[in-house]
PDB file of all heavy atoms in Angstrom:
ATOM      1  N   ASN Y   1     -20.857  -3.635  -9.244  1.00  0.00           N
ATOM      2  CA  ASN Y   1     -21.245  -2.592 -10.113  1.00  0.00           C
ATOM      3  C   ASN Y   1     -20.263  -2.012 -10.948  1.00  0.00           C
ATOM      4  O   ASN Y   1     -20.429  -1.622 -12.142  1.00  0.00           O
ATOM      5  CB  ASN Y   1     -22.013  -1.385  -9.359  1.00  0.00           C
ATOM      6  CG  ASN Y   1     -23.276  -1.831  -8.584  1.00  0.00           C
ATOM      7  OD1 ASN Y   1     -24.111  -2.457  -9.239  1.00  0.00           O
ATOM      8  ND2 ASN Y   1     -23.362  -1.490  -7.369  1.00  0.00           N
ATOM      9  N   ALA Y   2     -19.006  -1.989 -10.461  1.00  0.00           N
ATOM     10  CA  ALA Y   2     -17.857  -1.475 -11.203  1.00  0.00           C
ATOM     11  C   ALA Y   2     -17.019  -2.614 -11.761  1.00  0.00           C
ATOM     12  O   ALA Y   2     -15.864  -2.385 -12.104  1.00  0.00           O
ATOM     13  CB  ALA Y   2     -17.027  -0.592 -10.135  1.00  0.00           C
ATOM     14  N   ASN Y   3     -17.399  -3.869 -11.502  1.00  0.00           N
ATOM     15  CA  ASN Y   3     -16.709  -5.031 -11.933  1.00  0.00           C
ATOM     16  C   ASN Y   3     -15.310  -5.085 -11.352  1.00  0.00           C
ATOM     17  O   ASN Y   3     -14.311  -5.386 -12.063  1.00  0.00           O
ATOM     18  CB  ASN Y   3     -16.624  -4.988 -13.580  1.00  0.00           C
ATOM     19  CG  ASN Y   3     -16.228  -6.467 -14.050  1.00  0.00           C
ATOM     20  OD1 ASN Y   3     -16.579  -7.368 -13.446  1.00  0.00           O
ATOM     21  ND2 ASN Y   3     -15.457  -6.409 -15.213  1.00  0.00           N
ATOM     22  N   GLU Y   4     -15.242  -4.818 -10.122  1.00  0.00           N
ATOM     23  CA  GLU Y   4     -13.970  -4.797  -9.309  1.00  0.00           C
ATOM     24  C   GLU Y   4     -13.918  -6.009  -8.397  1.00  0.00           C
ATOM     25  O   GLU Y   4     -14.889  -6.215  -7.665  1.00  0.00           O
ATOM     26  CB  GLU Y   4     -13.748  -3.561  -8.669  1.00  0.00           C
ATOM     27  CG  GLU Y   4     -13.586  -2.333  -9.606  1.00  0.00           C
ATOM     28  CD  GLU Y   4     -13.530  -0.986  -8.802  1.00  0.00           C
ATOM     29  OE1 GLU Y   4     -13.758  -1.047  -7.554  1.00  0.00           O
ATOM     30  OE2 GLU Y   4     -13.240   0.026  -9.364  1.00  0.00           O
ATOM     31  N   GLU Y   5     -12.746  -6.665  -8.216  1.00  0.00           N
ATOM     32  CA  GLU Y   5     -12.746  -7.760  -7.224  1.00  0.00           C
ATOM     33  C   GLU Y   5     -12.319  -7.233  -5.866  1.00  0.00           C
ATOM     34  O   GLU Y   5     -11.887  -6.161  -5.815  1.00  0.00           O
ATOM     35  CB  GLU Y   5     -11.660  -8.866  -7.721  1.00  0.00           C
ATOM     36  CG  GLU Y   5     -10.297  -8.165  -7.942  1.00  0.00           C
ATOM     37  CD  GLU Y   5      -9.339  -9.256  -8.492  1.00  0.00           C
ATOM     38  OE1 GLU Y   5      -9.352 -10.324  -8.075  1.00  0.00           O
ATOM     39  OE2 GLU Y   5      -8.374  -8.907  -9.360  1.00  0.00           O
ATOM     40  N   SER Y   6     -12.391  -8.117  -4.912  1.00  0.00           N
ATOM     41  CA  SER Y   6     -12.060  -7.662  -3.487  1.00  0.00           C
ATOM     42  C   SER Y   6     -10.593  -7.313  -3.406  1.00  0.00           C
ATOM     43  O   SER Y   6      -9.808  -7.918  -3.911  1.00  0.00           O
ATOM     44  CB  SER Y   6     -12.515  -8.795  -2.531  1.00  0.00           C
ATOM     45  OG  SER Y   6     -13.854  -9.084  -2.643  1.00  0.00           O
ATOM     46  N   GLN Y   7     -10.411  -6.225  -2.637  1.00  0.00           N
ATOM     47  CA  GLN Y   7      -8.987  -5.758  -2.473  1.00  0.00           C
ATOM     48  C   GLN Y   7      -8.746  -5.753  -0.900  1.00  0.00           C
ATOM     49  O   GLN Y   7      -9.484  -5.572  -0.113  1.00  0.00           O
ATOM     50  CB  GLN Y   7      -8.874  -4.388  -2.941  1.00  0.00           C
ATOM     51  CG  GLN Y   7      -9.134  -4.159  -4.446  1.00  0.00           C
ATOM     52  CD  GLN Y   7      -8.036  -4.830  -5.354  1.00  0.00           C
ATOM     53  OE1 GLN Y   7      -6.882  -4.444  -5.023  1.00  0.00           O
ATOM     54  NE2 GLN Y   7      -8.407  -5.690  -6.263  1.00  0.00           N
ATOM     55  N   VAL Y   8      -7.321  -5.953  -0.779  1.00  0.00           N
ATOM     56  CA  VAL Y   8      -6.820  -5.885   0.744  1.00  0.00           C
ATOM     57  C   VAL Y   8      -5.728  -4.877   0.734  1.00  0.00           C
ATOM     58  O   VAL Y   8      -4.846  -4.656  -0.041  1.00  0.00           O
ATOM     59  CB  VAL Y   8      -6.185  -7.262   1.074  1.00  0.00           C
ATOM     60  CG1 VAL Y   8      -5.528  -7.258   2.428  1.00  0.00           C
ATOM     61  CG2 VAL Y   8      -7.172  -8.398   0.896  1.00  0.00           C
ATOM     62  N   THR Y   9      -5.669  -4.152   1.966  1.00  0.00           N
ATOM     63  CA  THR Y   9      -4.707  -3.244   2.125  1.00  0.00           C
ATOM     64  C   THR Y   9      -4.254  -3.366   3.566  1.00  0.00           C
ATOM     65  O   THR Y   9      -5.014  -3.197   4.425  1.00  0.00           O
ATOM     66  CB  THR Y   9      -5.160  -1.784   2.003  1.00  0.00           C
ATOM     67  OG1 THR Y   9      -5.628  -1.528   0.659  1.00  0.00           O
ATOM     68  CG2 THR Y   9      -3.931  -0.770   2.319  1.00  0.00           C
ATOM     69  N   GLU Y  10      -2.972  -3.741   3.856  1.00  0.00           N
ATOM     70  CA  GLU Y  10      -2.353  -3.873   5.136  1.00  0.00           C
ATOM     71  C   GLU Y  10      -1.701  -2.551   5.487  1.00  0.00           C
ATOM     72  O   GLU Y  10      -1.044  -1.986   4.692  1.00  0.00           O
ATOM     73  CB  GLU Y  10      -1.408  -5.117   5.046  1.00  0.00           C
ATOM     74  CG  GLU Y  10      -1.917  -6.289   5.057  1.00  0.00           C
ATOM     75  CD  GLU Y  10      -0.857  -7.450   5.218  1.00  0.00           C
ATOM     76  OE1 GLU Y  10       0.326  -7.304   5.078  1.00  0.00           O
ATOM     77  OE2 GLU Y  10      -1.273  -8.637   5.486  1.00  0.00           O
ATOM     78  N   LEU Y  11      -1.923  -2.164   6.737  1.00  0.00           N
ATOM     79  CA  LEU Y  11      -1.416  -0.934   7.309  1.00  0.00           C
ATOM     80  C   LEU Y  11      -0.581  -1.150   8.551  1.00  0.00           C
ATOM     81  O   LEU Y  11      -1.045  -2.076   9.351  1.00  0.00           O
ATOM     82  CB  LEU Y  11      -2.407   0.106   7.595  1.00  0.00           C
ATOM     83  CG  LEU Y  11      -3.434   0.366   6.318  1.00  0.00           C
ATOM     84  CD1 LEU Y  11      -4.553   1.118   6.815  1.00  0.00           C
ATOM     85  CD2 LEU Y  11      -2.673   1.181   5.258  1.00  0.00           C
ATOM     86  N   GLY Y  12       0.348  -0.350   8.773  1.00  0.00           N
ATOM     87  CA  GLY Y  12       1.077  -0.612  10.153  1.00  0.00           C
ATOM     88  C   GLY Y  12       1.969   0.669  10.443  1.00  0.00           C
ATOM     89  O   GLY Y  12       2.332   1.413   9.491  1.00  0.00           O
ATOM     90  N   GLY Y  13       2.256   0.758  11.640  1.00  0.00           N
ATOM     91  CA  GLY Y  13       3.302   1.780  12.179  1.00  0.00           C
ATOM     92  C   GLY Y  13       3.586   1.657  13.567  1.00  0.00           C
ATOM     93  O   GLY Y  13       3.196   0.810  14.151  1.00  0.00           O
ATOM     94  N   GLY Y  14       4.414   2.527  14.029  1.00  0.00           N
ATOM     95  CA  GLY Y  14       4.949   2.315  15.420  1.00  0.00           C
ATOM     96  C   GLY Y  14       5.290   3.715  16.052  1.00  0.00           C
ATOM     97  O   GLY Y  14       5.466   4.688  15.324  1.00  0.00           O
ATOM     98  N   GLU Y  15       5.516   3.689  17.427  1.00  0.00           N
ATOM     99  CA  GLU Y  15       5.985   4.932  18.159  1.00  0.00           C
ATOM    100  C   GLU Y  15       7.084   4.396  19.100  1.00  0.00           C
ATOM    101  O   GLU Y  15       6.850   3.310  19.590  1.00  0.00           O
ATOM    102  CB  GLU Y  15       4.734   5.566  18.971  1.00  0.00           C
ATOM    103  CG  GLU Y  15       3.731   6.234  18.014  1.00  0.00           C
ATOM    104  CD  GLU Y  15       2.604   6.839  18.673  1.00  0.00           C
ATOM    105  OE1 GLU Y  15       2.691   6.865  19.953  1.00  0.00           O
ATOM    106  OE2 GLU Y  15       1.612   7.218  18.113  1.00  0.00           O
ATOM    107  N   LYS Y  16       7.954   5.246  19.432  1.00  0.00           N
ATOM    108  CA  LYS Y  16       9.117   4.881  20.316  1.00  0.00           C
ATOM    109  C   LYS Y  16       8.625   4.731  21.790  1.00  0.00           C
ATOM    110  O   LYS Y  16       9.012   3.972  22.501  1.00  0.00           O
ATOM    111  CB  LYS Y  16      10.210   5.777  20.196  1.00  0.00           C
ATOM    112  CG  LYS Y  16      10.941   5.581  18.811  1.00  0.00           C
ATOM    113  CD  LYS Y  16      12.070   6.662  18.696  1.00  0.00           C
ATOM    114  CE  LYS Y  16      12.940   6.522  17.391  1.00  0.00           C
ATOM    115  NZ  LYS Y  16      14.098   7.412  17.303  1.00  0.00           N
ATOM    116  N   GLN Y  17       7.669   5.557  22.165  1.00  0.00           N
ATOM    117  CA  GLN Y  17       7.223   5.662  23.525  1.00  0.00           C
ATOM    118  C   GLN Y  17       5.796   5.774  23.562  1.00  0.00           C
ATOM    119  O   GLN Y  17       5.133   6.782  23.255  1.00  0.00           O
ATOM    120  CB  GLN Y  17       7.871   6.851  24.283  1.00  0.00           C
ATOM    121  CG  GLN Y  17       7.688   6.753  25.797  1.00  0.00           C
ATOM    122  CD  GLN Y  17       8.576   5.735  26.427  1.00  0.00           C
ATOM    123  OE1 GLN Y  17       9.266   4.971  25.783  1.00  0.00           O
ATOM    124  NE2 GLN Y  17       8.593   5.659  27.726  1.00  0.00           N
ATOM    125  N   THR Y  18       5.050   4.670  23.871  1.00  0.00           N
ATOM    126  CA  THR Y  18       3.516   4.741  23.741  1.00  0.00           C
ATOM    127  C   THR Y  18       2.976   3.636  24.570  1.00  0.00           C
ATOM    128  O   THR Y  18       3.660   3.069  25.419  1.00  0.00           O
ATOM    129  CB  THR Y  18       3.129   4.534  22.295  1.00  0.00           C
ATOM    130  OG1 THR Y  18       1.680   4.604  22.116  1.00  0.00           O
ATOM    131  CG2 THR Y  18       3.518   2.967  21.779  1.00  0.00           C
ATOM    132  N   THR Y  19       1.668   3.360  24.520  1.00  0.00           N
ATOM    133  CA  THR Y  19       1.048   2.235  25.255  1.00  0.00           C
ATOM    134  C   THR Y  19       0.231   1.456  24.353  1.00  0.00           C
ATOM    135  O   THR Y  19      -0.213   1.847  23.351  1.00  0.00           O
ATOM    136  CB  THR Y  19       0.069   2.969  26.310  1.00  0.00           C
ATOM    137  OG1 THR Y  19      -0.944   3.540  25.683  1.00  0.00           O
ATOM    138  CG2 THR Y  19       0.808   3.895  27.379  1.00  0.00           C
ATOM    139  N   ASN Y  20      -0.215   0.350  24.882  1.00  0.00           N
ATOM    140  CA  ASN Y  20      -1.094  -0.618  24.078  1.00  0.00           C
ATOM    141  C   ASN Y  20      -2.309   0.084  23.667  1.00  0.00           C
ATOM    142  O   ASN Y  20      -2.777  -0.088  22.491  1.00  0.00           O
ATOM    143  CB  ASN Y  20      -1.259  -1.940  24.990  1.00  0.00           C
ATOM    144  CG  ASN Y  20      -2.001  -3.033  24.235  1.00  0.00           C
ATOM    145  OD1 ASN Y  20      -1.545  -3.576  23.193  1.00  0.00           O
ATOM    146  ND2 ASN Y  20      -3.243  -3.183  24.506  1.00  0.00           N
ATOM    147  N   ASN Y  21      -2.954   0.668  24.660  1.00  0.00           N
ATOM    148  CA  ASN Y  21      -4.279   1.261  24.338  1.00  0.00           C
ATOM    149  C   ASN Y  21      -4.119   2.412  23.315  1.00  0.00           C
ATOM    150  O   ASN Y  21      -5.209   2.544  22.443  1.00  0.00           O
ATOM    151  CB  ASN Y  21      -4.803   1.989  25.539  1.00  0.00           C
ATOM    152  CG  ASN Y  21      -5.506   0.871  26.497  1.00  0.00           C
ATOM    153  OD1 ASN Y  21      -5.764  -0.253  26.102  1.00  0.00           O
ATOM    154  ND2 ASN Y  21      -5.628   1.113  27.842  1.00  0.00           N
ATOM    155  N   ARG Y  22      -3.113   3.126  23.402  1.00  0.00           N
ATOM    156  CA  ARG Y  22      -2.944   4.200  22.326  1.00  0.00           C
ATOM    157  C   ARG Y  22      -2.886   3.557  20.812  1.00  0.00           C
ATOM    158  O   ARG Y  22      -3.373   3.994  19.929  1.00  0.00           O
ATOM    159  CB  ARG Y  22      -1.749   5.065  22.596  1.00  0.00           C
ATOM    160  CG  ARG Y  22      -1.911   6.057  23.726  1.00  0.00           C
ATOM    161  CD  ARG Y  22      -0.658   6.820  24.024  1.00  0.00           C
ATOM    162  NE  ARG Y  22      -0.349   7.794  23.054  1.00  0.00           N
ATOM    163  CZ  ARG Y  22      -1.004   8.951  22.887  1.00  0.00           C
ATOM    164  NH1 ARG Y  22      -1.952   9.343  23.616  1.00  0.00           N
ATOM    165  NH2 ARG Y  22      -0.611   9.684  21.792  1.00  0.00           N
ATOM    166  N   MET Y  23      -2.016   2.345  20.873  1.00  0.00           N
ATOM    167  CA  MET Y  23      -1.910   1.805  19.651  1.00  0.00           C
ATOM    168  C   MET Y  23      -3.236   1.046  19.001  1.00  0.00           C
ATOM    169  O   MET Y  23      -3.381   0.951  17.898  1.00  0.00           O
ATOM    170  CB  MET Y  23      -0.808   0.619  19.727  1.00  0.00           C
ATOM    171  CG  MET Y  23       0.569   1.233  19.871  1.00  0.00           C
ATOM    172  SD  MET Y  23       1.300   2.272  18.555  1.00  0.00           S
ATOM    173  CE  MET Y  23       0.554   3.890  18.887  1.00  0.00           C
ATOM    174  N   GLU Y  24      -4.024   0.643  20.037  1.00  0.00           N
ATOM    175  CA  GLU Y  24      -5.285   0.078  19.639  1.00  0.00           C
ATOM    176  C   GLU Y  24      -6.253   1.151  18.971  1.00  0.00           C
ATOM    177  O   GLU Y  24      -6.734   0.796  17.891  1.00  0.00           O
ATOM    178  CB  GLU Y  24      -6.039  -0.536  20.849  1.00  0.00           C
ATOM    179  CG  GLU Y  24      -5.354  -1.664  21.517  1.00  0.00           C
ATOM    180  CD  GLU Y  24      -5.683  -3.115  20.759  1.00  0.00           C
ATOM    181  OE1 GLU Y  24      -6.285  -3.009  19.757  1.00  0.00           O
ATOM    182  OE2 GLU Y  24      -5.267  -4.126  21.332  1.00  0.00           O
ATOM    183  N   ILE Y  25      -6.249   2.193  19.610  1.00  0.00           N
ATOM    184  CA  ILE Y  25      -7.056   3.360  18.994  1.00  0.00           C
ATOM    185  C   ILE Y  25      -6.541   3.795  17.709  1.00  0.00           C
ATOM    186  O   ILE Y  25      -7.264   4.104  16.737  1.00  0.00           O
ATOM    187  CB  ILE Y  25      -7.097   4.586  19.897  1.00  0.00           C
ATOM    188  CG1 ILE Y  25      -7.652   4.131  21.418  1.00  0.00           C
ATOM    189  CG2 ILE Y  25      -7.971   5.776  19.461  1.00  0.00           C
ATOM    190  CD1 ILE Y  25      -7.332   5.250  22.511  1.00  0.00           C
ATOM    191  N   ASN Y  26      -5.166   3.977  17.678  1.00  0.00           N
ATOM    192  CA  ASN Y  26      -4.659   4.313  16.377  1.00  0.00           C
ATOM    193  C   ASN Y  26      -4.800   3.453  15.153  1.00  0.00           C
ATOM    194  O   ASN Y  26      -5.003   3.826  13.970  1.00  0.00           O
ATOM    195  CB  ASN Y  26      -3.043   4.701  16.530  1.00  0.00           C
ATOM    196  CG  ASN Y  26      -2.543   5.689  15.483  1.00  0.00           C
ATOM    197  OD1 ASN Y  26      -3.001   6.740  15.317  1.00  0.00           O
ATOM    198  ND2 ASN Y  26      -1.492   5.167  14.763  1.00  0.00           N
TER     199      ASN Y  26
END
């Protein structure tokens, strides 16, 4: 409808003291 092609945005970040599950949720 807006004549726009597919777009990709990669995101990422980190924490010094965390857990795998917290990172999955975030």
